[in-house]
Amino acid sequence: MKKFASYLIPSLVASLLMSMYAIVDGIFVGQKIGDSGLAAINITWPITSFLQSIGTAFGLAGGIYIQKLKGKEELKSNQIKLTTIVIILILGVFFGLMFYFLRTPLLWSLGATGTSYTYAVQYLKIILMGSVFQMLGMGLLPLLKNSNKVKIAACASLMSVFTNLGLDYLFIFVADMDLAGAALASVLAQVISSIICLTAYFKELKGISFKKEDILELAKTSIAPFILAFSYSIVIIITNLVCKSYGGDEAVAAYTLLSYLSYILIALACAVGDSIQPLFSYNQVQHEYKENKKMLMICFSISFFICLCVSITMYLCKKQLGDLYNLSNVASKYYNDGLIYYVIGALFVSFIKVAASYFYAIDAKIFANIIVFLEPFVLTPIGFLLFCFSFKLYGVWVAYIFVQATLFIVSASLVVIKEKKIFREECNLQY
């Protein structure tokens, strides 16, 4: 249990910090601008998320590759570190320029119109100018963690959160820069994180490898982490468009706050599962199936308890949260209508995310991918089709609980199927 806690607690703290980083802009923007500013941030978020997800994915891919080389080829291991960083830099420039020149049709397609479009352009321009740092700041963290530099990675995360917090106040309120200030604060926070991470890595960045097999290995390994990191943003894109069509910027602003709260709960549930992944993987290799089953039940219990406590706190503080983000009366009504569904949905999320992490850890990738792909590509569109035609905007909130409840049933069924298969394998080993 002590070993379990040593994995769990740092992961929970790191996830909480990263979720704070994602939502802090909204607090300042809501107080300064209101519904249109919140709508603009949520509409542009998938673009920021795309950049950060690529950085994270290649950082994880590089870390995994380095672990494979550990103790065998130290020189090549160091080359892969620099290769990963250079690839992230190249992709940062490429996607930054591409999205910058396509920003107008891109924002229209994401639902930005009128005032929210004006604010979205302000925000997105700065984010794309700093696209390299958005990707590098996120990509270096998993690289450091896989190089046994967890404390430095945690320090970089902490510094980026406090930098973003301080600069948000300075740029948005003191300098009166509105959303451009929020974007600049985010970029500079990632610059600070990148500098801290690169300083820790500087002596190890010796040589570079652009061999075909190394590039292909990094690209191939990055696909699954990218999909996992970006999948929730696909849900945000779809939901923003539906909210915009039924309730305008006020509905998108309400959903912005609900998605922030949901993001915190998802991050905490993922942290519980992700923290114990190394132990799951080790026990699977050692055929310690009973130990894995025991740990899985503990993970489900801890995740459920954490999500239950946090979601109840969110519901009890719903007025204070609405005031914190300065929602208008109309947006507050939409938010209050939807909150109960997101609170209940959190209980399903607590199981779903742990199950997905468990499947990835024991190399049951098909089961994990079923869970990850179902929500954005199948269940969310079906949920909106089923409920929004009849209930309009209220159907968006009903669809959310439908999606999470269905995912819970699917996840639970897959866990039972996998456990039965493991039990048969265990019996074969005994005989």
Side-chain angles (χ1 to χ4, degrees):
M1 198 66 186
K2 188 176 180 181
K3 193 173 184 180
F4 182 96
S6 70
Y7 281 94
L8 176 63
I9 294 170
S11 183
L12 281 173
V13 172
S15 294
L16 194 58
L17 286 172
M18 291 313 296
S19 61
M20 284 176 58
Y21 180 87
I23 67 175
V24 72
D25 283 350
I27 297 173
F28 289 98
V29 169
Q31 288 293 327
K32 181 68 162 54
I33 300 170
D35 293 345
S36 295
L38 285 172
I41 283 239
N42 216 38
I43 287 168
T44 54
W45 169 249
I47 302 172
T48 305
S49 174
F50 181 88
L51 297 171
Q52 293 183 354
S53 297
I54 289 180
T56 300
F58 271 93
L60 282 167
I64 292 168
Y65 198 5
I66 289 164
Q67 286 294 318
K68 289 180 182 178
L69 297 169
K70 202 170 184 180
K72 298 176 183 178
E73 302 178 53
E74 187 176 345
L75 177 60
K76 187 170 183 179
S77 175
N78 288 332
Q79 287 177 340
I80 294 301
K81 291 173 187 176
L82 186 55
T83 302
T84 303
I85 291 170
V86 170
I87 289 173
I88 291 173
L89 291 172
I90 292 170
L91 291 175
V93 172
F94 173 76
F95 284 113
L97 288 172
M98 184 179 77
F99 289 150
Y100 188 86
F101 289 114
L102 295 174
R103 63 187 183 278
T104 297
L106 194 58
L107 288 173
W108 284 343
S109 67
L110 291 172
T113 56
T115 308
S116 63
Y117 171 79
T118 303
Y119 285 127
V121 170
Q122 281 182 22
Y123 188 82
L124 188 59
K125 276 184 177 180
I126 305 295
I127 290 293
L128 294 178
M129 287 176 186
S131 59
V132 167
F133 295 106
Q134 290 288 340
M135 291 173 64
L136 193 61
M138 298 301 292
L140 285 168
L141 294 176
L143 267 178
L144 281 172
K145 289 176 183 176
N146 277 286
S147 299
N148 297 318
K149 299 179 187 291
V150 179
K151 290 182 180 179
I152 297 172
C155 176
S157 298
L158 192 63
M159 285 301 296
S160 68
V161 169
F162 286 113
T163 300
N164 192 36
L165 187 66
L167 292 180
D168 266 334
Y169 174 76
L170 183 65
F171 292 152
I172 295 174
F173 283 99
V174 179
D176 201 26
M177 293 174 65
D178 293 337
L179 259 74
L184 185 57
S186 293
V187 170
L188 291 177
Q190 292 292 3
V191 170
I192 296 297
S193 178
S194 300
I195 291 171
I196 293 171
C197 294
L198 285 172
T199 301
Y201 250 158
F202 188 73
K203 292 181 180 179
E204 298 175 26
L205 301 178
K206 299 174 182 176
I208 192 168
S209 173
F210 275 121
K211 291 180 181 178
K212 184 179 179 180
E213 60 267 24
D214 293 331
I215 304 298
L216 287 175
E217 179 68 21
L218 289 170
K220 182 179 68 175
T221 310
S222 70
I223 293 172
F226 170 75
I227 293 171
L228 190 62
F230 188 66
S231 60
Y232 185 61
S233 294
I234 297 171
V235 175
I236 290 177
I237 291 170
I238 299 170
T239 310
N240 277 339
L241 292 171
V242 176
C243 286
K244 185 80 174 182
S245 65
Y246 286 119
D249 283 348
E250 291 82 3
V252 179
Y255 173 62
T256 300
L257 179 49
L258 291 172
S259 67
Y260 285 163
L261 301 181
S262 179
Y263 184 79
I264 293 172
L265 292 163
I266 288 170
L268 292 172
C270 285
V272 175
D274 292 349
S275 66
I276 206 68
Q277 273 191 339
L279 291 179
F280 279 140
S281 299
Y282 176 80
N283 289 335
Q284 185 73 11
V285 172
Q286 298 298 319
H287 305 297
E288 295 286 348
Y289 301 127
K290 288 183 180 178
E291 188 63 26
N292 258 2
K293 187 174 182 179
K294 179 183 173 183
M295 286 198 307
L296 182 60
M297 293 304 108
I298 293 172
C299 281
F300 283 144
S301 301
I302 292 174
S303 181
F304 179 83
F305 178 75
I306 291 172
C307 288
L308 177 65
C309 292
V310 174
S311 60
I312 289 173
T313 303
M314 288 175 174
Y315 190 76
L316 293 176
C317 299
K318 62 180 179 180
K319 185 183 185 305
Q320 289 84 350
L321 287 169
D323 292 342
L324 184 64
Y325 282 83
N326 195 28
L327 295 178
S328 66
N329 291 334
V330 175
S332 291
K333 181 185 179 304
Y334 295 150
Y335 156 70
N336 287 325
D337 287 344
L339 183 59
I340 186 64
Y341 294 96
Y342 278 77
V343 166
I344 296 171
L347 306 183
F348 296 123
V349 167
S350 70
F351 183 95
I352 294 162
K353 299 304 177 183
V354 171
S357 292
Y358 171 66
F359 287 138
Y360 276 122
I362 64 172
D363 206 28
K365 291 187 175 68
I366 294 176
F367 283 4
N369 289 336
I370 287 171
I371 295 172
V372 171
F373 279 100
L374 266 181
E375 182 173 7
F377 298 112
V378 180
L379 293 178
T380 297
I382 289 174
F384 288 154
L385 287 172
L386 285 174
F387 299 107
C388 289
F389 284 119
S390 300
F391 302 111
K392 306 299 182 185
L393 181 63
Y394 199 80
V396 174
W397 321 136
V398 178
Y400 177 79
I401 201 74
F402 160 79
V403 171
Q404 302 309 323
T406 306
L407 267 180
F408 169 76
I409 294 169
V410 171
S411 301
S413 301
L414 292 175
V415 168
V416 170
I417 292 168
K418 187 61 182 176
E419 288 304 309
K420 285 182 177 178
K421 185 179 178 182
I422 288 173
F423 178 74
R424 288 196 296 269
E425 290 175 2
E426 191 176 15
C427 290
N428 291 333
L429 284 173
Q430 291 175 351
Y431 297 103

